[in-house]
């Protein structure tokens, strides 16, 4: 029988995990005639009892596997580790907080099985329960990145999706260090069906994303998927050159006709400040790409494993 791997990244999810497990085994039971399951939990350096819970789940349920990182590597790393270590013919990525309703899984599976899609993604059509200012910036981000990048980013798309092995293998083959999954999923292509649903608030625990973290994540997405800011910097330089050329002619002619070399201190200062600002901005943009290049060439591993369910068997 074919198998679905359910990958769940967990960071301090001791409160949500038992609830999640209960939900997912219900769905697994409902689908047990059609398909087998493997639950692969990735413990992303949690500081609470997440690992203990995973150990005991793995002991009582043979379908449960886990990978525990040596520290917090971030959700992108956790998802990558899950994909790389999954063994199923189909793979789904889920959050532990039940914001990705496992109940959608049968429908997603049918779409792939019967309608020939390679991957089924989910997007939330509302952002209920989110601070309005956050929703506003999220919308702006999607507008900007879709203007700049050739790869399409779907507004409201979640990481929750079901994929065939073929899609998973192509995602794994992208070994980059700065991972921006939303982009990687569109980058690999394939036929994707989008399911829409209303936003669900997390069942327990709290969100790990501060506004600042989200902002940095947005910059990461832009740098990873488009070099348009570099072109913008070059364009800005070109415009500045053209303006300064006109300004030089103007100043020159004025000095020839009126011959007043002394006045003009305020305008000089304004120009110096403005040009200085533009130069710093452009250098900053270049630096952002250079930094990513630097991180990428170091070729550090994306994650480091400290323990898996196999170590746990050996111990006892
Ligand atoms: N997560 C993770 N590593 C991190 C942060 C989050 O593995 O460094 C996991 C977290 O446990 C959860 C999922 O990623 O299962 C989504 O996180 P969260 O619910 O905090 O984000 P939100 O749903 O608020 O965007
Ligand atoms: Mg969540």
């Amino acid at each position: 029988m074919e198998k679905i791997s359910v990958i769940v990244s967990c960071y301090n999810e001791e409160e949500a995990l038992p609830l999640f497990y209960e939900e997912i085994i219900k769905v697994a039971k409902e689908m047990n005639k059609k398909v087998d399951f493997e639950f692969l939990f990735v413990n992303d350096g949690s500081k609470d009892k997440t690992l203990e819970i995973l150990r005991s789940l793995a002991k009582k349920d043979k379908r449960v596997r886990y990978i525990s990182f040596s520290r917090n590597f971030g959700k992108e790393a956790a998802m990558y580790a899950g994909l790389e270590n999954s063994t199923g013919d189909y793979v789904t990525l889920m959050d532990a907080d039940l914001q990705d309703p496992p109940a959608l899984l049968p429908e997603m599976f049918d779409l792939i099985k019967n309608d020939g899609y390679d991957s089924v993604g989910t997007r939330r059509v509302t952002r209920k329960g989110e601070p309005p200012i956050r929703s506003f910036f999220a919308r702006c981000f999607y507008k900007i990145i879709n203007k700049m990048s050739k790869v399409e980013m779907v507004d409201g798309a979640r990481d929750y999706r079901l994929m065939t092995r073929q899609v998973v293998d192509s995602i794994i083959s992208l070994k980059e260090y700065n991972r921006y999954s939303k982009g990687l999923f569109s980058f690999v292509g394939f036929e994707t069906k989008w399911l829409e649903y209303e936003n669900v608030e997390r069942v327990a625990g709290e969100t790990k994303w501060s506004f600042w973290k989200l902002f940095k994540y947005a910059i990461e997405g832009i740098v990873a998927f488009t070099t348009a800011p570099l072109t913008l910097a070059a364009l800005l330089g070109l415009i500045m050159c053209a303006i300064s050329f006109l300004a030089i002619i103007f100043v020159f002619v004025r000095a020839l006709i009126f011959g007043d070399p002394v006045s003009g201190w305020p305008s000089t200062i304004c120009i110096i400040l403005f040009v200085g600002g533009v130069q710093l901005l452009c250098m900053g943009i270049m630096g952002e790409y250079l930094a990513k290049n630097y991180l990428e060439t170091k070729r550090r591993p994306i994650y480091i494993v400290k323990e898996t369910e196999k170590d746990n068997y050996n111990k006892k």
Side-chain angles (χ1 to χ4, degrees):
M1 194 141 72
E2 287 183 315
K3 184 164 72 176
I4 298 185
S5 295
V6 180
I7 297 170
V8 190
S9 49
C10 317
Y11 178 50
N12 296 344
E13 298 284 8
E14 60 177 7
E15 289 165 52
L17 259 185
L19 302 171
F20 175 83
Y21 179 69
E22 229 170 81
E23 279 302 308
I24 194 73
I25 54 170
K26 259 188 234 158
V27 175
K29 203 166 178 190
E30 190 188 316
M31 295 171 77
N32 68 1
K33 293 239 161 50
K34 287 189 272 186
V35 64
D36 277 336
F37 272 87
E38 159 186 85
F39 309 120
L40 178 51
F41 293 89
V42 184
N43 173 31
D44 186 11
S46 301
K47 295 193 174 58
D48 61 1
K49 299 236 159 24
T50 301
L51 183 57
E52 276 91 333
I53 295 173
L54 292 181
R55 280 187 192 132
S56 67
L57 284 181
K59 217 176 279 169
K60 74 170 194 223
D61 186 342
K62 285 280 159 289
R63 296 170 298 178
V64 173
R65 293 174 55 205
Y66 69 86
I67 300 169
S68 186
F69 287 177
S70 59
R71 64 169 171 85
N72 179 252
F73 279 88
K75 190 187 177 193
E76 293 289 339
M79 290 195 295
Y80 181 72
L83 292 176
E84 215 176 30
N85 290 282
S86 64
T87 58
D89 305 282
Y90 304 92
V91 178
T92 172
L93 293 163
M94 275 186 208
D95 285 0
D97 57 8
L98 290 177
Q99 277 190 305
D100 301 330
L104 287 179
L105 212 51
E107 188 185 347
M108 291 161 90
F109 184 66
D110 284 343
L111 279 168
I112 289 190
K113 229 28 215 165
N114 306 330
D115 295 2
Y117 287 103
D118 301 297
S119 134
V120 181
T122 58
R123 57 185 292 253
R124 45 181 185 177
V125 278
T126 57
R127 288 177 171 269
K128 195 175 59 171
E130 205 184 49
I133 183 96
R134 181 172 293 192
S135 309
F136 171 75
F137 277 108
R139 293 243 156 76
C140 289
F141 166 73
Y142 282 109
K143 278 217 187 86
I144 293 173
I145 197 161
N146 279 322
K147 280 255 160 59
M148 293 199 298
S149 170
K150 281 198 200 83
V151 173
E152 197 207 345
M153 312 274 170
V154 180
D155 186 0
R158 300 202 37 100
D159 293 324
Y160 180 26
R161 51 173 63 234
L162 182 70
M163 298 164 277
T164 60
R165 176 53 43 192
Q166 197 184 15
V167 179
V168 174
D169 285 342
S170 38
I171 297 276
I172 299 172
S173 73
L174 307 172
K175 302 261 182 227
E176 59 204 76
Y177 181 77
N178 296 288
R179 304 190 73 76
Y180 187 76
S181 289
K182 283 186 186 26
L184 297 179
F185 288 129
S186 340
F187 176 83
V188 296
F190 295 102
E191 286 293 317
T192 303
K193 166 87 183 168
W194 291 98
L195 291 184
E196 297 185 345
Y197 69 99
E198 300 258 317
N199 191 27
V200 189
E201 292 189 46
R202 63 159 47 236
V203 279
E206 53 193 49
T207 176
K208 277 91 199 169
W209 292 90
S210 62
F211 187 81
W212 180 236
K213 252 181 148 178
L214 278 175
F215 180 75
K216 283 201 295 193
Y217 189 57
I219 299 285
E220 205 136 286
I222 293 175
V223 174
F225 276 94
T226 163
T227 50
L230 288 175
T231 316
L232 204 73
L235 208 68
L236 215 59
L238 210 66
I239 294 170
M240 295 290 297
C241 282
I243 292 176
S244 56
F245 186 69
L246 292 178
I248 288 170
I249 293 175
F250 171 71
V251 170
F252 200 76
V253 170
R254 193 179 62 170
L256 278 183
I257 297 172
F258 301 103
D260 176 21
V262 183
S263 76
W265 186 84
S267 56
T268 312
I269 293 300
C270 291
I271 291 166
I272 289 178
L273 289 179
F274 179 65
V275 173
V278 170
Q279 278 177 342
L280 279 181
L281 176 73
C282 295
M283 246 164 69
I285 293 174
M286 260 166 60
E288 211 44 57
Y289 284 88
L290 200 64
K292 287 287 180 277
N293 203 341
Y294 173 60
L295 290 173
E296 212 62 66
T297 47
K298 282 202 272 198
R299 296 196 168 275
R300 286 186 178 161
I302 294 171
Y303 62 92
I304 294 171
V305 176
K306 186 175 171 201
E307 181 187 323
T308 70
E309 80 284 349
K310 295 197 183 81
D311 304 317
N312 203 16
Y313 290 142
N314 296 343
K315 246 186 247 163
K316 269 126 212 172

